[in-house]
Amino acid sequence: MTQRTLSIIKPDAVERNLQGRILSMIQEKGLKIVALKMLYLTREQARGFYDVHREKPFFDSLTDYMSSGPIVVSVLEGDGAIDRYREIMGATNPESAGQGTIRKAFALDIEKNSVHGSDAPETAYREISFFFSQMELVG
Ligand code: CMP
């Protein structure tokens, strides 16, 4: 089934100029980029985006980090895109990420883990709508 998922290239990766290499890894695996932009999140926007983690001990640190520098957000499309992108990213903790994954290659630690991807169809819909209007989706 064709799906769409949200990808974020996080501040640690943009700061190291890795966005091109990460987008290449995504494209080489056959996912299509149907929307793309670079922006800063305010602290409040980051807190809104990660609202589901509000009660977690890492929430303040995560949202400070996510608003610390520019990010690259994109919408990826393809058959089973949500799970496929999660495989391309690798595990949240880079120490557990498999060879050839983005996080194995680039993540610094469990927080500064270079990329985010939606984890389910409902979250993908919410997260895509958070960043993009219908007009910005080219599919
Ligand atoms: P992400 O896939 O964007 O989803 C939530 C983010 O919280 C996660 O990637 C990490 O950046 C961060 N995160 C998850 N678990 C931890 C943790 N135990 N400590 C610090 N940050 C975490």
Side-chain angles (χ1 to χ4, degrees):
M1 185 187 41
T2 300
Q3 288 180 325
R4 286 177 172 174
T5 190
L6 183 85
S7 162
I8 304 179
I9 303 177
K10 297 184 179 186
D12 71 271
V14 175
E15 187 183 15
R16 288 176 288 151
N17 230 359
L18 294 171
Q19 52 271 50
R21 288 168 73 184
I22 291 174
L23 291 171
S24 284
M25 287 170 83
I26 292 168
Q27 291 178 305
E28 279 161 14
K29 299 281 184 179
L31 290 176
K32 186 175 161 193
I33 298 167
V34 297
L36 178 68
K37 60 187 167 191
M38 189 166 179
L39 55 91
Y40 277 92
L41 283 178
T42 65
R43 194 163 171 274
E44 277 319 302
Q45 287 169 330
R47 291 170 79 84
F49 182 79
Y50 279 114
D51 193 54
V52 61
H53 295 304
R54 196 166 284 268
E55 303 304 322
K56 303 269 174 59
F58 56 80
F59 182 69
D60 284 343
S61 172
L62 170 65
T63 52
D64 282 352
Y65 153 62
M66 287 299 293
S67 54
S68 68
I71 60 173
V72 173
V73 287
S74 59
V75 178
L76 310 177
E77 185 179 270
D79 191 39
I82 294 171
D83 284 346
R84 275 172 64 199
Y85 185 47
R86 293 179 71 77
E87 283 169 24
I88 295 166
M89 289 191 298
T92 304
N93 186 346
E95 287 177 14
S96 313
Q99 286 297 340
T101 63
I102 294 170
R103 285 170 171 157
K104 181 72 177 180
F106 301 126
L108 300 178
D109 57 41
I110 193 168
E111 180 175 88
K112 296 179 175 58
N113 61 356
S114 298
V115 281
H116 166 84
S118 310
D119 63 3
E122 309 75 52
T123 39
Y125 181 81
R126 173 189 172 272
E127 291 179 359
I128 290 168
S129 310
F130 187 94
F131 286 105
F132 294 98
S133 69
Q134 273 303 320
M135 262 180 69
E136 295 173 298
L137 302 172
V138 182

